[in-house]
Amino acid sequence: MKEITVTIDYEGLKYQTNIITNKEAGDEEILKQAEDQIRKQWNN
C-alpha cells in the first residue's frame, strides 16, 4: 500500500485529498479514486 496526495479540479474548485492504494495502481485508477472520494464528501 502507498499513500498519495492528489489535487483534483472538481466543479471549478481545486481540492487536495489523500489516497491510499496498492503499489501497482496506475494514474487513471488513482485519479478515479480521488474524484470518487471528493464526490462522496460533496454529497454528504
Side-chain angles (χ1 to χ4, degrees):
M1 300 300 279
K2 63 181 176 179
E3 181 177 354
I4 302 169
T5 302
V6 181
T7 302
I8 294 286
D9 208 3
Y10 183 74
E11 294 191 7
L13 299 172
K14 291 190 183 235
Y15 295 91
Q16 189 172 29
T17 187
N18 294 327
I19 300 299
I20 297 174
T21 189
N22 62 34
K23 292 181 181 180
E24 293 82 27
D27 291 343
E28 288 182 26
E29 183 178 346
I30 291 168
L31 288 175
K32 182 172 177 357
Q33 287 178 337
E35 288 177 15
D36 290 345
Q37 183 169 313
I38 291 170
R39 191 175 298 115
K40 286 178 187 177
Q41 291 173 356
W42 255 92
N43 291 327
N44 285 334

